[in-house]
Amino acid sequence: MGSTDPEEFEKELERGASREKRMDWDDAEAFYDALLAGLGKVSGDDRHGRAMRAMALLRKGNALMELGRWEDARRTFDEALHEAKASGDEGVLGQAALAAGTFAGNRGDSERAEAFLLESLELFHRRNDRASLQGRGWAFLNLASLYGRTGRLDLAFVTFTKAQNTLGAAENWGGVAAAWEAQGQLRRVIGDEERWQDDLSEAVIFYDREGMKEKADALRTLLGRRIV
């Protein structure tokens, strides 16, 4: 039976996150696959081990989703949700609900997406640690994007602001950038020519702060100018 020290596991997740920041999704998926193999078989009553498996599965599922491997992602998220429930950890359950909501939203199932995202928010509000604060921020961001896609624009912009503020409080600059980018793209879709570029410029600043050069440069290209 494999095992991983909790502190070392967190370091491994950080190593995986560095691949995600580079948008190297094939490498990220392979990394998380290897991390899961390293965890080995976890006994049914090992709640901490099952929580770690859930987190690794969630990161792998996200990489699969970015690669457009939707069926593989769905199966991985289903397994992650099963492990999260078995762990009894509300923070991990919140992450699993967030991932399920994000997946459903990306597949066009708005009703299911909203239900999962609201569930994740409720779970994240039960704790005040940094991980829960970040979880709230990402839940707000995904809800805001969902509201925008379904025409609830006032609610979308209010929720984008909540996402930016919450992720900023958690010092998750990549998340802050993603919130500004999503807001800017929504403004662009609805023809708000004056403000969408301002929003994307804010996103560039925060992507640079997080060291996410590929994302920042892609937005610079879209904006047609270099921001320093």
Side-chain angles (χ1 to χ4, degrees):
M1 183 181 300
S3 64
T4 298
D5 176 80
E7 290 187 7
E8 182 58 32
F9 180 75
E10 288 300 320
K11 291 177 182 177
E12 289 296 312
L13 289 182
E14 290 175 9
R15 294 183 186 106
S18 69
R19 291 159 169 80
E20 296 183 54
K21 286 181 182 179
R22 297 196 306 268
M23 296 190 295
D24 191 344
W25 299 111
D26 284 306
D27 190 25
E29 190 270 335
F31 178 87
Y32 292 122
D33 216 23
L35 181 58
L36 284 161
L39 285 172
K41 187 176 180 180
V42 177
S43 66
D45 60 354
D46 181 1
R47 291 194 166 196
H48 194 75
R50 300 194 78 168
M52 288 192 290
R53 271 190 56 79
M55 291 303 297
L57 285 162
L58 289 170
R59 300 317 312 156
K60 178 183 175 181
N62 184 64
L64 289 167
M65 190 164 57
E66 292 289 346
L67 290 166
R69 293 167 55 184
W70 297 107
E71 189 57 29
D72 289 339
R74 183 192 62 76
R75 285 195 296 267
T76 303
F77 285 138
D78 284 348
E79 186 179 356
L81 185 58
H82 175 74
E83 294 288 358
K85 289 177 178 177
S87 77
D89 186 313
E90 289 183 341
V92 178
L93 277 167
Q95 294 289 346
L98 173 59
T102 303
F103 178 85
N106 285 335
R107 300 304 286 162
D109 190 344
S110 298
E111 184 175 346
R112 187 174 173 83
E114 186 169 359
F116 271 123
L117 292 171
L118 290 173
E119 179 185 351
S120 74
L121 262 183
E122 196 275 329
L123 287 163
F124 287 133
H125 271 100
R126 295 179 186 178
R127 295 163 61 166
N128 291 312
D129 57 5
R130 185 169 181 265
S132 296
L133 190 62
Q134 290 186 92
R136 279 178 235 162
W138 283 104
F140 281 135
L141 171 51
N142 281 280
L143 276 169
S145 297
L146 177 65
Y147 295 148
R149 288 196 300 271
T150 53
R152 291 172 281 178
L153 297 181
D154 288 344
L155 188 55
F157 289 121
V158 167
T159 310
F160 275 129
T161 299
K162 289 181 179 179
Q164 291 152 9
N165 291 341
T166 305
L167 290 163
E171 298 185 352
N172 186 322
W173 309 124
V176 175
W180 279 108
E181 180 182 3
Q183 179 174 287
Q185 296 290 11
L186 177 58
R187 290 195 193 280
R188 189 181 181 207
V189 167
I190 64 176
D192 189 342
E193 293 297 327
E194 181 177 345
R195 288 189 286 182
W196 74 261
Q197 295 186 56
D198 291 339
D199 287 349
L200 293 192
S201 296
E202 288 288 338
V204 169
I205 291 168
F206 284 105
Y207 279 134
D208 278 338
R209 186 169 184 175
E210 188 69 12
M212 299 175 71
K213 184 178 185 299
E214 291 84 356
K215 291 286 291 184
D217 286 349
L219 292 185
R220 286 191 179 97
T221 299
L222 179 61
L223 289 165
R225 57 191 171 92
R226 186 167 184 83
I227 302 168
V228 296

